[in-house]
Amino acid sequence: MSISCLTTTHPRQSLTVKLHKANQDKDILMYPDISPASEHQRWSVRKYAGNVTLHLKDVRLSDDGFYDCQVYKDQDCINAIRFNLKVKDIVHPTPGSSVLLPCSEHPLQNRTEQVTWKVVNGRQLTDISQYAPPNKPSSSTEKLLKPLYERVRQLANRSLLISDVAKDDELWYRCSVNEKTCYDVKLLLK
């Protein structure tokens, strides 16, 4: 995950970058790094073509929240931004079971809104009713599955029910509400 903090002509080495999470009482990143704390090892600061960027590796659900990024040149704060990092959900069903993918964090919202479910593959979105997994060689030990569109059902609360979950179903799914807001969820088997 990358977040741009500043576009500047100053060399990266001349800048100090502080990152603070709103619900914590200490900075979680200080660049140049003056602490060997493990939290800092997941965050890094880079500068490409004048753009000072924060990078986070190994994103976790606990990373969800509001952050403040401040960039200093000597003692002067030359930029400060606040951003909200929203970590997508990950669901872990067991093979052969059924799984319910939530459409949003607020299941009691107006249910008269139009909801569509799509499979996300990179930048490509495919309607759930038309998704076909990539062709792969079949083996005699593999169980032949019904296509995904035959094993899914959208429920009244906007959630998507997938029955007889298989390895091929390990995908990102996107629920769109009135094509204005969307909610992504990743399905990974246990």
Side-chain angles (χ1 to χ4, degrees), residues 85-105:
L85 174 61
K86 183 67 185 156
V87 179
K88 300 174 183 181
D89 277 345
I90 299 176
V91 176
H92 297 279
T94 56
S97 67
S98 292
V99 64
L100 191 64
L101 303 182
C103 181
S104 75
E105 297 175 26

Side-chain angles (χ1 to χ4, degrees), residues 90-99 165-167 170 186-190:
I90 299 176
V91 176
H92 297 279
T94 56
S97 67
S98 292
V99 64
V165 177
K167 186 79 173 157
E170 287 189 320
K186 172 76 171 177
L187 189 147
L188 289 174
L189 295 179
K190 286 184 181 178

Side-chain angles (χ1 to χ4, degrees), residues 15-57:
L15 301 173
T16 301
V17 179
K18 291 182 182 181
L19 180 65
H20 181 85
K21 190 170 182 184
N23 64 351
Q24 295 182 355
D25 59 354
K26 62 179 179 166
D27 291 330
I28 59 171
L29 171 72
M30 177 77 115
Y31 174 87
D33 194 359
I34 57 173
S35 168
S38 62
E39 182 70 22
H40 293 197
Q41 294 172 2
R42 294 177 48 232
W43 287 94
S44 63
V45 176
R46 297 184 187 149
K47 184 179 177 197
Y48 299 107
N51 197 10
V52 177
T53 306
L54 294 171
H55 289 272
L56 173 61
K57 63 181 179 182

Side-chain angles (χ1 to χ4, degrees), residues 103-116 154-159 176-178:
C103 181
S104 75
E105 297 175 26
H106 310 289
L108 300 178
Q109 289 175 337
N110 183 357
R111 293 187 181 139
T112 61
E113 297 171 325
Q114 182 178 348
V115 173
T116 58
Q154 186 174 321
L155 304 181
N157 68 356
R158 301 194 260 182
S159 297
S176 297
V177 181
N178 284 343

Side-chain angles (χ1 to χ4, degrees), residues 96-148:
S97 67
S98 292
V99 64
L100 191 64
L101 303 182
C103 181
S104 75
E105 297 175 26
H106 310 289
L108 300 178
Q109 289 175 337
N110 183 357
R111 293 187 181 139
T112 61
E113 297 171 325
Q114 182 178 348
V115 173
T116 58
W117 278 92
K118 297 184 179 180
V119 173
V120 181
N121 188 359
R123 293 178 185 236
Q124 182 179 352
L125 297 172
T126 306
D127 191 276
I128 197 86
S129 65
Q130 299 171 356
Y131 178 76
N135 291 335
K136 64 177 186 175
S138 61
S139 71
S140 59
T141 60
E142 277 187 35
K143 176 183 171 185
L144 290 176
L145 281 178
K146 290 181 181 178
L148 181 62

